[in-house]
Amino acid sequence: MKLKQLLSILCFLPLLWSCNNEDDIYEIFVSGTWNVGNFYTGGNWDKTNDGARPKYTKEEDIKMLNALTINFLDDGTLQGRISNGTFSANWQANADDRSVSITNLKASATPSGKSKELIDALKNAAFYKGDSNYLKLASEDKKTYVQLGHYSK
């Protein structure tokens, strides 16, 4: 009988130690410098392989996107770098419905091109999904999103 109890306990230990990073807001957002990977349209937000199409496919465009950065701070603020300056804002997320809100966004210069796309995507962000390796921020209709990652330069 004691052997069965011991085996039962050993079987459940991994469950006690495991965690779901998709529900830990700070583990996801406050995990270092995020770089823009690409902007996506279409697809089905609720599926893992959502079928969305990347807006940019040329290597030089991807390099320009990767230079755009965001740092979510645990005090509810964020800071970022765009091509011609910096930006800051407030952020909050809700793990229950995976909603996100980015407010009071201020840029040090008028953004243009891919920088403007990022600023617009952040202003329109309503939902998130991801973990500490990648993060997707989608608009209210979940038909467009920006994907962020920790990409090396």
Side-chain angles (χ1 to χ4, degrees):
M1 188 63 137
K2 288 183 183 182
L3 182 58
K4 284 185 181 180
Q5 290 175 334
L6 181 61
L7 287 175
S8 294
I9 292 171
L10 289 175
C11 287
F12 287 108
L13 282 177
L15 295 175
L16 295 174
W17 284 323
S18 67
C19 64
N20 182 352
N21 285 350
E22 290 192 12
D23 292 335
D24 186 342
I25 291 171
Y26 289 100
E27 175 70 22
I28 296 169
F29 285 87
V30 187
S31 60
T33 300
W34 290 102
N35 303 84
V36 175
N38 215 323
F39 297 94
Y40 291 83
T41 59
N44 183 339
W45 176 259
D46 297 318
K47 290 190 174 184
T48 301
N49 294 319
D50 61 13
R53 296 171 305 282
K55 181 169 185 180
Y56 298 101
T57 57
K58 293 181 181 176
E59 186 176 339
E60 61 268 14
D61 288 328
I62 304 299
K63 284 182 181 180
M64 290 174 73
L65 290 174
N66 290 170
L68 306 175
T69 64
I70 304 171
N71 284 303
F72 293 90
L73 305 174
D74 58 6
D75 66 357
T77 62
L78 65 80
Q79 300 171 349
R81 189 176 68 227
I82 52 179
S83 60
N84 60 344
T86 60
F87 65 92
S88 63
N90 296 323
W91 72 276
Q92 69 180 69
N94 181 332
D96 293 333
D97 62 1
R98 303 220 177 180
S99 62
V100 64
S101 173
I102 297 174
T103 58
N104 300 320
L105 204 146
K106 295 179 177 88
S108 65
T110 303
S112 61
K114 293 171 183 63
S115 294
K116 182 174 180 351
E117 285 183 81
L118 173 60
I119 296 299
D120 289 344
L122 294 175
K123 286 179 180 178
N124 293 321
F127 296 98
Y128 76 90
K129 70 176 169 178
D131 56 29
S132 59
N133 297 310
Y134 82 95
L135 177 60
K136 295 178 181 179
L137 301 175
S139 60
E140 184 71 36
D141 64 6
K142 298 180 182 176
K143 294 194 183 289
T144 61
Y145 64 86
V146 58
Q147 182 167 313
L148 309 173
H150 299 295
Y151 306 115
S152 59
K153 299 199 177 210

